[in-house]
Amino acid sequence: MKNFTFYGLPTNDGLASAHGLQVINVTTTLGDLVDAFPIHKSERDEDLLQRKLTKSRSDNIKSYLLGREDAIFPQLAGFVSSQAITETVHGMFRKITLSADAQRMLVDGQGRREGGRKAMLECPELAEMTVDLKLIVLNTATLLESANIIRQVFSDYHKNVVKPNSSINLFFDSAKASSAFYVRSLKYLEDCDTAFAKKISRDGANDRFYTLAQYKTFVEKLTGMTSKEMDKTMLDDSVSEMWLRVIASFVSHLENEAFEGLFEKNAKADVTALKKSNLVCCAIGLEALGRVGNLIIDNALAEQVKPDFTILAGLSELNMDREAGIWQNSVILDGKILKGSAAKLSMKMAVHLRLQMSDKFLGI
């Protein structure tokens, strides 16, 4: 270790006043952060001050830094032992020097630190990227002597963290072409004034038939593409426009011919009851419809004709009630939907519509 000097402003938060500690907000570079703060390791379980580094997280952060020009980090937090020297520079500004013998560790940010280190090996310019750090100076000569404080801060930072659900992540993620397309296609359906679009919640709330994450699966099954494939394909505006029209046409036939009036149900009681009783209003029903739509498209391509979604009208004669005998023991068992049964549901739909099933559709 070597000496490091940082400049910043003292805080007046509860940690400082309750424990009589100096807490200083500093801005430094990623390169200095990596050099100044090693990954904390404990030889004995009872000496743990930090959870073990998760390699997958640091690898994801490395990819984030290398793959994005607009990368940004939230503030990190670190502890240093009492050997650190703090001096007043001017007014509120402080100069804090970490001597070589000062123990130090990140209590929140070791994944970002390690991901940054890996990224700098491939892109040294990242060393100049600035990061914000809450630097906490302990009153003890070792970190372990202040173990209770460090562990409590770690717990406070992480115990009530609520990870955003997959729908919110999709809605907010404009960096990926696939995520942007899911949101754009839903907006397109809304602009087409489809009742179906109003049954999809962007924030993952369960007050509608489907969530945005479930709609994502529907779009992937309908197009026959994975998210990675869509990331490449949807960069072509002409292709994405074509798929918008295909999705809108498919949805139009669903709500006007296959399940007329079903998506017009708006009352909360109706939505709740239908989600419990009608397979179309469940996630597997939506996925199955996407699979059937892709089969219609593939059959049309094989015959070199335009996909004809009018055939979906035949689904109006299919009993989609969860208690119907046709679904028992293959889609429904003891009143519960079997996990992964969307494929079987789509096959029964395809049989009912007398569609020619391909090996791809059958999964063979």
Side-chain angles (χ1 to χ4, degrees):
M1 301 300 295
K2 60 180 181 179
N3 292 351
F4 279 90
T5 299
F6 300 102
Y7 294 87
L9 294 169
T11 75
N12 188 30
D13 56 24
L15 184 68
S17 58
H19 297 286
L21 304 177
Q22 298 180 78
V23 183
I24 302 173
N25 286 328
V26 306
T27 297
T28 184
T29 63
L30 182 58
D32 279 352
L33 178 80
V34 169
D35 289 341
F37 287 88
I39 296 297
H40 182 73
K41 298 179 181 179
S42 302
E43 294 184 2
R44 303 184 307 169
D45 288 347
E46 56 264 39
D47 295 341
L48 281 174
L49 299 176
Q50 167 66 286
R51 63 184 171 190
K52 294 180 181 179
L53 181 68
T54 304
K55 182 179 182 297
S56 60
R57 174 161 168 74
S58 62
D59 286 344
N60 287 337
I61 291 171
K62 169 193 168 183
S63 299
Y64 170 67
L65 289 173
L66 294 176
R68 293 279 295 276
E69 295 181 354
D70 57 351
I72 185 172
F73 278 165
Q75 186 184 51
L76 298 85
F79 284 94
V80 296
S81 59
S82 60
Q83 292 90 334
I85 300 172
T86 305
E87 307 169 66
T88 300
V89 176
H90 177 73
M92 290 286 289
F93 284 94
R94 300 288 188 272
K95 172 184 176 182
I96 178 168
T97 302
L98 276 61
S99 59
D101 61 340
Q103 295 184 12
R104 71 288 299 266
M105 66 171 287
L106 294 173
V107 73
D108 183 56
Q110 66 172 2
R112 281 165 280 170
R113 181 266 185 205
E114 185 63 7
R117 183 191 68 79
K118 293 177 180 178
M120 287 190 296
L121 294 176
E122 298 183 27
C123 182
E125 293 83 0
L126 284 171
E128 298 304 314
M129 174 183 173
T130 55
V131 294
D132 292 326
L133 172 67
K134 185 184 286 288
L135 199 52
I136 305 158
V137 184
L138 298 166
N139 294 328
T140 56
T142 66
L143 296 173
L144 201 56
E145 290 177 90
S146 294
N148 287 344
I149 295 174
I150 297 173
R151 290 167 180 162
Q152 188 61 57
V153 169
F154 176 86
S155 176
D156 290 346
Y157 264 103
H158 297 94
K159 66 183 176 183
N160 291 319
V161 171
V162 178
K163 183 179 179 180
N165 63 54
S166 54
S167 293
I168 275 288
N169 278 332
L170 280 174
F171 183 42
F172 287 170
D173 183 12
S174 59
K176 293 178 64 177
S178 57
S179 298
F181 181 78
Y182 304 134
V183 176
R184 181 186 175 197
S185 64
L186 181 55
K187 179 64 166 58
Y188 187 87
L189 292 176
E190 289 175 337
D191 291 342
C192 292
D193 199 29
T194 66
F196 172 86
K198 297 175 183 177
K199 291 295 175 285
I200 301 167
S201 65
R202 287 177 170 83
D203 62 357
N206 61 2
D207 58 347
R208 306 186 197 183
F209 288 166
Y210 319 116
T211 66
L212 183 60
Q214 292 164 353
Y215 173 74
K216 165 186 178 288
T217 301
F218 162 75
V219 172
E220 288 177 352
K221 298 305 179 184
L222 179 61
T223 61
M225 289 184 279
T226 64
S227 292
K228 287 186 177 180
E229 290 170 335
M230 292 185 73
D231 282 333
K232 297 178 181 178
T233 304
M234 296 309 172
L235 291 174
D236 188 323
D237 289 340
S238 62
V239 174
S240 63
E241 287 290 338
M242 180 271 292
W243 276 114
L244 288 176
R245 293 192 295 271
V246 170
I247 293 170
S249 176
F250 183 75
V251 166
S252 176
H253 286 284
L254 282 182
E255 66 176 31
N256 294 320
E257 298 170 25
F259 308 110
E260 185 179 2
L262 179 65
F263 299 107
E264 299 289 347
K265 305 290 186 180
N266 293 316
K268 185 176 180 180
D270 289 338
V271 170
T272 301
L274 285 167
K275 286 176 68 174
K276 292 180 179 180
S277 63
N278 192 312
L279 286 171
V280 174
C281 305
C282 301
I284 66 158
L286 185 61
E287 180 182 338
L289 289 170
R291 289 175 180 270
V292 170
N294 184 253
L295 177 60
I296 295 172
I297 293 170
D298 281 353
N299 286 347
L301 291 174
E303 298 173 9
Q304 296 185 330
V305 296
K306 182 180 178 181
D308 182 9
F309 295 135
T310 60
I311 194 172
L312 292 170
L315 292 177
S316 63
E317 302 170 357
L318 186 60
N319 187 350
M320 299 304 300
D321 193 297
R322 287 173 58 161
E323 295 183 0
I326 186 175
W327 313 120
Q328 305 311 308
N329 301 320
S330 58
V331 176
I332 303 294
L333 182 63
D334 296 331
K336 296 182 179 180
I337 296 175
L338 289 170
K339 186 177 181 180
S341 59
K344 291 183 179 179
L345 177 56
S346 67
M347 290 177 193
K348 288 181 179 288
M349 289 179 173
V351 169
H352 179 79
L353 296 176
R354 299 181 180 179
L355 293 172
Q356 178 66 40
M357 288 184 268
S358 62
D359 288 349
K360 170 189 167 185
F361 180 77
L362 293 170
I364 58 175

